[in-house]
Amino acid sequence: MFLSERRRGQLAALSIAAVVIIVGVPLWWRTTETYRAWLPVSQIKELAKLQLQLSADVEAVFARGTVTPEQQKKVPLTQTQEEERAIDEDTALRYRYETRYRTATIMEEDALNQPSAAEADLSLHTLSESPCGSLVVYVIPESSSLLPEDVNVYIGQRRTALLRIGPQMRVGKTLEQLLAHLEPRIRQVLQVMSFSHNDITAALSDRVRFSPDNKESIADNMRAFKSSPGYEITFSLLNPDPKSHRLHWDIEGAVQTYIQPLLTKLSPVANFSIDSQTLYYAMLGVNPRFDTSRSAYTLNADSLAHVINPVEARLGSNAASSNPVLNFLLYVPDAQHSPLYIQGRKKQEVPSNAFHSPRWGGIMVYNVNGFYGSEPEFPVDININMAKVMGVFLAQLRLLLGVQSSTPPPGFLVARCGSTGLADWELDRLMWSRSVENVATATTTITSLAQLLDQIGNIVINDNIAQQVSSAVTSLQLAVAELEAGNLGFALQYSKEAILASEKAFFDPSLLHLLYFPDDQKFAIYIPLFLPMCVPILLSLLKIVSEARQRRREKQAKKD
Amino acid sequence: MAAHRSCRPVWLFILCSFSLFIIAGSQETTVAPEQHASVLDNPQTAAETAEQTAGESGGVEERRWEGTEVRDAAAQKQAEPAVLQPTPQPKDDFQEELVVRPLHSGDIYASFQFRTLWETDFMRGNKVSHYRLFPKSLGQVISKFSVRELHISFTQGYWRTMQWGQPYLPSPPGAELWVWFQDSVTDVDATWKELTNVLSGIFCASLNFIDSTNTVQPSASFKPLGIGNVTDHRFLRYATLPREIVCTENLTPWKKLLPCGSKAGLAVLLKSEKLFHSSFHSQAVHIRPVCQDWQCKTTSWELRQTLNVVFDLHNSGQGKREWSLFKMFSRTLTEACPLASSSKIYIDITDNPEGEQFELSPATSLLSQAMVLGDRRTFSVYDLTQQDTFGSVRSLNLLIRWKSTEGDMLRPLLHAERYVAGYGLQTGEIHTLMYNHHPYRSFPVLQLDSVPWYLRLYIHTLTVTSKGKDNKPSYIHYQPSKDRVRPHLLEMLVQLPPNSVTEVTVQFERALLKWTEYTPDPNHGFYVGSSVISSLVPSTVAMDTNSTRERPLFSSFFPCKEESSYFVRVYTEPLLVNLPTPDFSMPYNVICLTCTVVAVGYGSLYNLLTRSFQIEEPSPGLAKRIANVIRKMRGVPPL
C-alpha cells in the first residue's frame, strides 16, 4: 500500500515532466520563433573568398615589312599568358592575356599608309570596331613615318595602338624570338590601355586594407568617387556680392557643349543628371590674405579645407535622389576682395585658379576685376567665359570620376582626346576598375549582411530580402564569370545589378524592426512561469533518480 | 494551514523580486549588444571610418585639397571675349513685400511675402535644370513628383479672427500640406508618401508622419489656386498635423529658399529669437503655375513664401504704445535685396486717415489703395529700391506711435469656432459654430472636417441648425473612416442666414487603441485638425478680377472671379480629445500575475499528484508535552 502510493507519485511526476518536455517546450519554441527565410549561405561563403580572373583580348597585327614571308606562314597563332597575384588571404587575382597574332589585311595596310598617326587611327577605326574591352595593336616597321622619331608607341583615340617594331629586330630572326621581343611591349601597351595591377588593387580597396606605406597612391585612390549607379552633377555659381556684380553664365549651352558629350560617352558606367544653381551672398569660410607684392588677395592651400564649409550648407543635397553629388563651384570674388588667387603648397600660384577636393567636387575662382573698365559703375554686367570655366571643370570631372590620366611610360604618345573628352580605351579602363570595384563592394555588403544575420539570431528575414540576396549573389556570380570571359560590358552591367540588389537587401527597413529583445530580458519575462514550473519537476526527477540509484545499491548489497 | 497561507505571499515576493532583479541586471547588459549591432549594421561606415583613420595616420588629411591642373587646354585657348555680349533677359523675377497692420487689440500684424516667378516648364522631358532665383531643392521636388500645386504652412498659435480680423493668408495651427498632382501621375498615394518624406527633410518638420490615416481627398474645398482646369480630386491630397511645433529649425530652411537668404532685403528682419516671441507665427510656401499675361499665353511658376507674425504690443512695449522695426525685429533695414525687382513696405493706415490714431515716422508721401478682403484699404508705401527711403542715416526704422486707443474694428463677416462637448471617455459631441455677421446677406460656406478614425463619428446624429431651425445642407460628401487606414471626411455646403449662428453637431465614440498606437504622452490627449470653412463672402466694394494686373502681393493670392464677392478661408481651433488610456505597465503586470497564478495552481496540482499521503500519529497535546519534559527531568518515564 505504502509502496504503491510512492510509485504512483513518481509516475505522476515523470508523466508531468514528459508532457512539459514533449508538448510544452516545442510549443513554446514554435510560438516564439522568428521567420527566417533561407539564404544562400554556402554561395555567399564562396564569394567571400574572391577569385577574380580578368581576361584581356589583344590582337596584334603585323603590318607589311615587319615579318618575313616564312614567318608569315606561321601566323595566325594565339598565345595565352596567365599571371596570378594574391592580394590577401581572401582575395586572389588572375590576369589572363590572350594575344592573337595575324597579318594586316590590304585595307588595313592602306589605312596604315596614311600620312599621320591620327588619320591612320581614324581610318582603322572605320574599318572595324573592336568590342568593348579588347585591343588591337598594329606592329609597324621601324622605318614607318607614321610616328615621330622618339616615339615608339602611339595610342589612338579608340582601342587601337601603333607599335613600332624594335630596331634590333632584323629580318632573319625566328618568329619565336620576334614574339618574345614583342610580348612585354604589348603587355606594356595593355597596361596603359586597359588595366594594370595598380588600378585593380585600388579598385579592391573596399575589400582589402592597404598598409599605408604609399600615401600617394592612397590619395589617388581617394580622389575619385566610389562607384555608384548614378551621379548628380551640380554646378553652382557663387556670387557673394550681387550688389556689384550681375553675373550671367550660359550654363545650359556650356553643359551641352562641354559636359554632355563626356557623360554620353560615360553612360555605360553610370547615369548622370546635371543641374545648376546660382547662390547669392555665399561667402567663403576664410578671409583671403592681401599680398602687397602682387596687389592681389591669396588663398593658401592649407586654408582651403575651411573654405567650403559655410557654402556647403547652402548647396543643398538633391532632394529627389540619393546618388552622390559632385559639386562644381564657380566663385566670383566680391569687388573688395578681388582679384583672388589660390596659392599651392609650395607658395606658387595655381595657374588654373581652381582646386578640387577628393570625392566632393571642385571650386574655381573666377576673377572679374578685368571687366570693370576705368570707371566701374556698380552693378557691373559680366558674362562669364564658359569655355575657360568648363575646361577646368571638365578636367576636375575626369579626375573625380576616376578617369585615370596617369602619365604614360617614355616613348608613348597618347592621342589628344577629341570632342568627347574621353578616348574609348579610357572608358574601358574605367569600366575594368569599376566592374572590379562593384564586385568587391557587393561581395563585402553581402558577406557582412550574411554575417550580421548569422550573429543576431532573431532578426526576421523576409522573403523579399532573401530574394534580393539571391539575386545579388546570382548577379555577382555572373559578373565574375563575364570578367573571366572578357565580356567587359556585361560584367559591368551585372556588377551594377549586384550592387543595387545587395544595397537594397542591406538597407531594407524590415531588418530594423524593434523585435530584437536580448535573451536575458526575454527570460526575465518567462521566469515567473518557468521557475515555479521547473523547480518541482527537476527536484522530483532528482529525487526519483537518487532513489532509483539507492535501490540499485541496496539490491547489489542484497546480492552480495 | 497557517504556514501554508503565509508561505504564498512570501513565494510571490521572492518571485517578483527575483524577476525584477533579473530585469535590472539585463537592462544593464543590453547596451553592449546594441552597440555591437549598430557596428554590425553598417559595416560600410565602419569601414569608412577605419579608412579615414588609416588615411590620417598616414598623414593624409580627411579632405585633401589639391590645385587642379588642366591638362587639355584646348578649351582654354579661346580668347576671352573683350566686348560684353548683350545680356540675356532673365526669365525669373523676385519681389518682396512687408505689410504692417496695426490691430485694434493693440497688437501688430506683420506679413512678409516673397514671390519668385519663373517662366519655365518643370515637366519637360530632359532632366537638365538650371536655377537662378528659384530654389533648386523645390524645383527638383516639383519635377520629380509631378506636382502641379503645392501649399505648405507651419503655424504656431491660433489666429484670433474676432480680435484681429481676417489674415491675408489663413493657416491652421500646426502643419498643413495640400498638393495637386499632375494628371500624369499614376500612383498618387505612393508619390504623396514619397513627397511628404522629402518635404519633411527640406523643412526639418515631421511631415513624414503624414500617412493614409490623416490624408484626405477633399471634393470641393481645395480647388487649385493657379491656372489649369483639372479638378479631378483624385489628384489632390490634403493633410494636417495639428500637433506640429514650429520653431527655428523650420525657419532656417525656409529662409534658405530665398535668393538673398537672410543677408539682404526684408529677410534681414527675420530673426528667430524675435519671431518666435510672438502671439502668432505662421510661415508658408505656396507653389503654383500662374499666367504671365492677361491672355494667359505664357505660364510661369510662382513660388510664394509668406511669413505672418502677430506681435503682442503690451508684452514688449513697457506700457508705452509704440512700435518700431527695431523694437520688433531688433534690426533696421538698410537695403533692398539687390535681386528683387520690387521691395516695398506697406503700412495699413485706413483707420488713421488724418493721423489721429497713430503717428508714423518717417512720413512718406507714397500712398496706395488696394482691395483686400472685401474692403478698400489705404497704405503708406515705402519703396526700398529707392535710395531716399533710407534717408540720411542710411537705415530705415519705421516707428508707429499711438495717440489714442479708441477705434473699433469692423467685425469680420465670417467667423467660426469649434469645441468638444460631452463627458466621460466613451462618447462625445463635436460642435462647430459658424457666424455670419453680415446684416442682410446670406451666403453659402463649404465646411470640411477631417476627423481621425479613432473618433468614430455617428453620422446619423449630424444636425445643422441656424436660428433654432433645421438647416439642410445642400451638398454633403461623407467618406466613412476605416480603422487604421483612413480618417473620416465630411464636406458640407451650408447656407448661412444673415446675422446668425449656424451650429453643426455630430456625435462620436472614442475607440480603444492598441497599446503601441498611443503617443508617448497619451494623457495629453489627441489632436483633431481644424475644420476648414471656405466661402465666397459678399464684398462691400468691387473686387479686382484681373489677376495679372500689378497689385501688392498680399492682395493677389486668392484669385478673384467676380467683383461682388471675395474668397475667405477660416480655420477653427484644433480639438484636443482625451481617449481612454490604459496603464502602460499593464502588460508586464499581467504577464507576472498570470504566470504567478498559473504557477500557484500548477504547484498545488503537482503537489497533489506527486505527494504520497500517509496517516501519522496525532502529536500529543501541549500539556502532555510539558508534563513529559518535567517527567524527564525528574527521571520518571514519560506518559
Side-chain angles (χ1 to χ4, degrees):
Chain A
M1 173 69 199
F2 173 72
L3 256 178
S4 74
E5 183 67 16
R6 275 188 75 86
R7 185 102 197 108
R8 189 196 58 80
Q10 281 178 355
L11 275 176
L14 278 175
S15 53
I16 288 174
V19 165
V20 165
I21 289 163
I22 292 163
V23 180
V25 171
L27 191 73
W28 167 70
W29 192 256
R30 286 300 295 272
T31 47
T32 56
E33 207 179 29
T34 47
Y35 180 74
R36 288 169 75 84
W38 178 83
L39 292 182
V41 181
S42 59
Q43 293 176 39
I44 293 173
K45 277 199 183 123
E46 264 169 43
L47 283 172
K49 277 211 170 304
L50 191 62
Q51 302 285 337
L52 269 185
Q53 179 178 327
L54 307 185
S55 303
D57 286 350
V58 188
E59 209 170 351
V61 182
F62 291 107
R64 194 182 300 140
T66 50
V67 279
T68 55
E70 45 285 13
Q71 286 172 340
Q72 206 172 338
K73 275 175 203 155
K74 291 180 192 162
V75 289
L77 62 91
T78 306
Q79 279 191 343
T80 312
Q81 266 125 18
E82 289 197 358
E83 186 185 343
E84 215 156 325
R85 302 268 190 114
I87 307 292
D88 64 357
E89 62 267 29
D90 280 343
T91 316
L93 284 173
R94 196 156 44 156
Y95 303 115
R96 187 164 161 276
Y97 307 103
E98 196 175 297
T99 323
R100 282 196 310 279
Y101 295 95
R102 65 174 173 87
T103 49
T105 60
I106 299 164
M107 291 169 64
E108 284 171 334
E109 287 294 345
D110 283 349
L112 286 170
N113 283 335
Q114 301 272 353
S116 79
E119 281 169 62
D121 182 40
L122 180 65
S123 40
L124 284 173
H125 174 68
T126 46
L127 282 181
S128 67
E129 200 169 335
S130 44
C132 195
S134 65
L135 288 180
V136 187
V137 180
Y138 291 92
V139 182
I140 54 171
E142 185 64 26
S143 55
S144 170
S145 57
L146 277 175
L147 303 180
E149 272 304 305
D150 50 343
V151 173
N152 285 325
V153 180
Y154 173 83
I155 291 173
Q157 280 189 31
R158 281 103 198 167
R159 299 186 176 96
T160 49
L162 303 179
L163 174 69
R164 202 199 286 266
I165 195 162
Q168 65 272 48
M169 278 296 113
R170 297 270 176 273
V171 178
K173 296 216 172 174
T174 60
L175 184 65
E176 281 67 39
Q177 277 174 315
L178 177 67
L179 296 186
H181 165 71
L182 279 179
E183 200 262 312
R185 302 186 59 200
I186 288 176
R187 180 79 61 84
Q188 207 179 9
V189 174
L190 191 95
Q191 282 189 348
V192 172
M193 290 181 74
S194 70
F195 56 82
S196 65
H197 183 64
N198 281 346
D199 293 348
I200 300 301
T201 44
L204 284 171
S205 63
D206 228 26
R207 279 180 67 92
V208 186
R209 292 274 150 273
F210 286 110
S211 48
D213 53 341
N214 47 351
K215 352 181 219 196
E216 263 319 299
S217 76
I218 286 181
D220 278 352
N221 298 338
M222 280 175 64
R223 188 186 299 128
F225 268 84
K226 284 206 167 267
S227 178
S228 152
Y231 297 96
E232 312 283 328
I233 301 175
T234 304
F235 296 97
S236 306
L237 172 64
L238 307 187
N239 184 0
D241 192 9
K243 262 196 332 200
S244 15
H245 299 145
R246 220 179 283 150
L247 302 176
H248 306 278
W249 68 338
D250 178 26
I251 183 71
E252 205 155 352
V255 162
Q256 278 306 325
T257 326
Y258 301 105
I259 305 290
Q260 203 59 54
L262 174 68
L263 298 186
T264 318
K265 194 93 192 243
L266 280 172
S267 57
V269 180
N271 301 323
F272 294 91
S273 76
I274 307 176
D275 41 39
S276 78
Q277 60 182 344
T278 311
L279 297 177
Y280 301 94
Y281 292 102
M283 307 286 182
L284 296 186
V286 180
N287 276 335
R289 203 175 301 149
F290 188 69
D291 188 349
T292 40
S293 64
R294 269 185 297 178
S295 68
Y297 289 86
T298 55
L299 268 179
N300 251 331
D302 306 323
S303 58
L304 289 180
H306 310 288
V307 161
I308 295 301
N309 293 350
V311 181
E312 201 167 13
R314 290 192 55 198
L315 288 178
S317 55
N318 192 330
S321 88
S322 50
N323 289 331
V325 183
L326 283 85
N327 289 296
F328 294 100
L329 312 185
L330 182 66
Y331 180 76
V332 179
D334 47 338
Q336 282 82 39
H337 290 102
S338 128
L340 175 68
Y341 295 107
I342 295 170
Q343 267 190 348
R345 285 185 195 280
K346 294 179 200 93
K347 293 280 170 206
Q348 89 288 15
E349 212 168 278
V350 176
S352 61
N353 218 7
F355 55 95
H356 59 264
S357 167
R359 294 186 183 171
W360 183 82
I363 179 165
M364 178 182 179
V365 178
Y366 189 89
N367 287 314
V368 294
N369 50 328
F371 294 97
Y372 287 166
S374 52
E375 274 181 21
E377 185 187 320
F378 293 112
V380 188
D381 276 300
I382 291 158
N383 266 327
I384 289 168
N385 177 6
M386 293 311 282
K388 183 178 163 194
V389 172
M390 282 298 156
V392 174
F393 283 166
L394 204 59
Q396 289 177 340
L397 184 65
R398 279 168 58 95
L399 277 178
L400 292 167
L401 288 177
V403 182
Q404 306 273 347
S405 36
S406 53
T407 43
F412 276 58
L413 178 70
V414 178
R416 198 166 267 281
C417 46
S419 56
T420 56
L422 189 75
D424 283 356
W425 57 270
E426 281 180 305
L427 179 67
D428 283 358
R429 251 180 101 95
L430 189 64
M431 282 166 77
W432 279 114
S433 60
R434 282 292 144 103
S435 316
V436 172
E437 190 184 338
N438 286 349
V439 168
T441 315
T443 48
T444 325
T445 314
I446 280 293
T447 44
S448 53
L449 177 66
Q451 203 184 341
L452 171 79
L453 293 178
D454 187 45
Q455 282 188 6
I456 303 179
N458 44 11
I459 291 186
V460 179
I461 307 175
N462 285 327
D463 284 334
N464 64 330
I465 290 173
Q467 199 193 331
Q468 293 288 357
V469 170
S470 316
S471 79
V473 169
T474 323
S475 306
L476 267 175
Q477 286 166 338
L478 283 170
V480 171
E482 294 292 350
L483 273 181
E484 221 160 286
N487 296 333
L488 186 52
F490 285 117
L492 183 67
Q493 186 58 36
Y494 285 127
S495 69
K496 277 204 281 193
E497 282 167 20
I499 254 195
L500 280 178
S502 63
E503 304 263 298
K504 220 171 176 180
F506 196 90
F507 294 107
D508 196 282
S510 76
L511 290 179
L512 289 171
H513 276 309
L514 295 171
L515 289 174
Y516 316 136
F517 302 110
D519 283 342
D520 41 1
Q521 280 193 13
K522 268 195 286 192
F523 282 103
I525 300 273
Y526 290 138
I527 275 286
L529 184 63
F530 278 9
L531 200 67
M533 279 185 97
C534 294
V535 165
I537 292 178
L538 283 179
L539 284 181
S540 50
L541 283 183
L542 279 178
K543 208 173 162 192
I544 289 168
V545 168
S546 67
E547 267 177 25
R549 204 177 283 161
Q550 207 181 344
R551 214 177 299 144
R552 202 185 302 152
R553 212 177 291 140
E554 275 170 16
K555 237 180 233 171
Q556 222 148 31
K558 233 179 247 173
K559 254 187 214 163
D560 293 342
Chain B
M1 190 61 204
H4 192 70
R5 206 178 289 156
S6 69
C7 179
R8 206 164 3 165
V10 168
W11 183 223
L12 247 174
F13 174 75
I14 290 173
L15 256 180
C16 290
S17 55
F18 187 52
S19 52
L20 277 178
F21 169 74
I22 283 179
I23 284 178
S26 66
Q27 269 166 354
E28 279 168 9
T29 52
T30 47
V31 184
E34 265 166 31
Q35 276 174 348
H36 192 56
S38 70
V39 169
L40 274 174
D41 264 358
N42 208 342
Q44 282 193 327
T45 49
E48 267 165 33
T49 45
E51 220 166 76
Q52 271 179 14
T53 47
E56 275 160 23
S57 64
V60 182
E61 285 169 29
E62 188 187 355
R63 199 176 255 180
R64 222 179 106 106
W65 297 90
E66 297 166 64
T68 306
E69 296 170 47
V70 184
R71 284 253 172 81
D72 42 348
Q76 241 184 329
K77 277 186 184 162
Q78 298 175 12
E80 291 183 23
V83 189
L84 286 180
Q85 291 147 9
T87 54
Q89 192 62 37
K91 284 179 157 184
D92 44 4
D93 173 65
F94 175 68
Q95 291 179 19
E96 53 179 9
E97 185 183 285
L98 164 65
V99 193
V100 176
R101 190 166 89 191
L103 299 172
H104 288 274
S105 58
D107 301 325
I108 282 280
Y109 172 35
S111 170
F112 292 85
Q113 294 220 11
F114 303 90
R115 182 172 78 161
T116 311
L117 273 176
W118 190 20
E119 196 184 316
T120 187
D121 188 4
F122 282 115
M123 305 308 155
R124 259 182 324 184
N126 63 342
K127 289 252 178 116
V128 186
S129 46
H130 303 284
Y131 300 88
R132 200 178 81 98
L133 296 176
F134 205 88
K136 180 167 79 92
S137 52
L138 287 183
Q140 283 173 335
V141 166
I142 294 173
S143 59
K144 176 165 186 206
F145 299 106
S146 301
V147 171
R148 199 150 67 93
E149 245 179 59
L150 186 146
H151 303 269
I152 184 166
S153 74
F154 299 97
T155 308
Q156 188 72 30
Y158 176 67
W159 182 270
R160 290 158 212 289
T161 315
M162 286 314 278
Q163 290 168 35
W164 298 341
Q166 293 292 357
Y168 296 122
L169 267 171
S171 57
E176 182 197 42
L177 174 67
W178 56 285
V179 176
W180 276 93
F181 291 97
Q182 301 279 356
D183 45 12
S184 55
V185 179
T186 46
D187 189 353
V188 182
D189 284 314
T191 318
W192 166 251
K193 180 81 207 145
E194 222 173 311
L195 172 69
T196 52
N197 279 313
V198 168
L199 286 177
S200 99
I202 291 179
F203 291 104
C204 290
S206 6
L207 297 172
N208 51 325
F209 285 106
I210 292 178
D211 53 11
S212 69
T213 60
N214 48 21
T215 303
V216 290
Q217 301 174 34
S219 63
S221 292
F222 287 89
K223 290 280 168 235
L225 293 177
I227 50 166
N229 41 14
V230 182
T231 49
D232 187 350
H233 66 272
R234 279 187 300 134
F235 300 107
L236 169 66
R237 292 291 180 280
Y238 173 83
T240 52
L241 294 172
R243 212 185 166 162
E244 180 74 11
I245 309 283
V246 183
C247 204
T248 335
E249 75 267 21
N250 307 110
L251 182 68
T252 312
W254 184 90
K255 279 199 288 196
K256 253 197 317 200
L257 300 174
L258 296 169
C260 280
S262 50
K263 297 276 173 43
L266 291 172
V268 296
L269 300 177
L270 303 175
K271 289 265 164 194
S272 57
E273 70 267 23
K274 285 288 179 184
L275 285 184
F276 290 102
H277 190 201
S278 57
S279 309
F280 176 84
H281 169 94
S282 167
Q283 61 188 64
V285 170
H286 302 275
I287 301 171
R288 58 176 178 173
V290 293
C291 288
Q292 196 74 307
D293 44 16
W294 65 275
Q295 283 173 311
C296 218
K297 271 183 187 157
T298 51
T299 62
S300 52
W301 285 84
E302 183 197 69
L303 164 71
R304 220 180 253 255
Q305 289 180 256
T306 65
L307 190 140
N308 294 296
V309 60
V310 175
F311 290 109
D312 188 344
L313 187 88
H314 302 295
N315 214 6
S316 50
Q318 289 109 34
K320 259 197 288 179
R321 292 197 65 178
E322 201 177 276
W323 178 91
S324 72
L325 279 184
F326 185 77
K327 215 167 180 179
M328 284 299 140
F329 300 104
S330 68
R331 291 293 287 270
T332 57
L333 289 169
T334 54
E335 57 173 349
C337 171
L339 305 165
S341 62
S342 119
S343 174
K344 285 177 178 153
I345 297 181
Y346 294 87
I347 312 276
D348 191 335
I349 53 161
T350 318
D351 306 326
N352 186 37
E354 310 288 299
E356 68 269 13
Q357 281 247 336
F358 53 82
E359 189 187 345
L360 193 60
S361 77
T364 175
S365 55
L366 243 65
L367 286 182
S368 148
Q369 283 206 331
M371 311 311 158
V372 197
L373 300 163
D375 198 5
R376 179 176 283 116
R377 312 291 293 181
T378 316
F379 298 90
S380 289
V381 184
Y382 295 84
D383 190 349
L384 299 186
T385 48
Q386 303 299 320
Q387 223 19 266
D388 48 342
T389 310
F390 299 103
S392 54
V393 286
R394 301 218 160 265
S395 97
L396 177 66
N397 183 21
L398 277 176
L399 185 81
I400 296 177
R401 195 176 284 124
W402 269 265
K403 288 176 179 167
S404 69
T405 51
E406 271 106 72
D408 50 356
M409 187 183 64
L410 206 68
R411 257 200 313 189
L413 295 179
L414 178 64
H415 168 55
E417 51 192 43
R418 190 153 74 137
Y419 58 90
V420 175
Y423 53 85
L425 285 177
Q426 200 193 350
T427 56
E429 199 170 35
I430 298 178
H431 289 247
T432 311
L433 304 175
M434 291 180 280
Y435 296 85
N436 176 3
H437 292 301
H438 202 284
Y440 52 86
R441 285 280 298 273
S442 74
F443 53 84
V445 295
L446 252 175
Q447 191 206 352
L448 174 127
D449 262 318
S450 160
V451 180
W453 62 267
Y454 39 79
L455 301 187
R456 299 201 171 110
L457 292 186
Y458 294 146
I459 204 69
H460 69 277
T461 61
L462 177 75
T463 57
V464 184
T465 49
S466 28
K467 289 184 168 173
K469 274 184 288 182
D470 207 28
N471 186 346
K472 201 166 181 307
S474 50
Y475 167 77
I476 293 189
H477 171 77
Y478 175 66
Q479 192 184 31
S481 73
K482 270 189 196 158
D483 277 8
R484 296 177 180 88
V485 175
R486 65 165 191 227
H488 302 268
L489 169 68
L490 176 63
E491 273 185 293
M492 289 189 294
L493 187 67
V494 184
Q495 189 79 18
L496 302 187
N499 207 3
S500 70
V501 188
T502 304
E503 186 172 20
V504 179
T505 62
V506 63
Q507 288 178 9
F508 64 86
E509 185 192 58
R510 297 164 215 245
L512 266 175
L513 301 187
K514 290 180 182 162
W515 72 287
T516 47
E517 287 169 346
Y518 285 94
T519 49
D521 53 345
N523 290 308
H524 178 81
F526 288 76
Y527 283 89
V528 178
S530 311
S531 103
V532 189
I533 290 152
S534 333
S535 170
L536 284 172
V537 175
S539 163
T540 50
V541 291
M543 295 298 289
D544 195 349
T545 51
N546 185 348
S547 61
T548 52
R549 192 189 303 163
E550 200 62 33
R551 283 193 290 175
L553 296 179
F554 59 89
S555 66
S556 63
F557 185 64
F558 289 115
C560 208
K561 296 264 163 54
E562 50 190 53
E563 290 191 344
S564 59
S565 61
Y566 62 99
F567 183 80
V568 169
R569 188 167 282 155
V570 176
Y571 290 93
T572 64
E573 303 91 335
L575 298 177
L576 186 56
V577 181
N578 270 314
L579 289 188
T581 312
D583 167 15
F584 286 100
S585 61
M586 189 180 67
Y588 184 68
N589 294 350
V590 168
I591 290 173
C592 269
L593 193 72
T594 340
C595 289
T596 315
V597 167
V598 167
V600 167
Y602 161 83
S604 14
L605 191 75
Y606 188 85
N607 249 347
L608 249 151
L609 287 175
T610 55
R611 274 289 147 82
S612 48
F613 295 94
Q614 58 196 72
I615 300 156
E616 244 180 40
E617 297 258 323
S619 58
L622 186 67
K624 206 173 184 179
R625 264 190 279 173
I626 294 170
N628 276 346
V629 170
I630 298 168
R631 286 171 81 98
K632 208 179 183 177
M633 278 165 24
R634 280 170 55 199
V636 187
L639 282 173

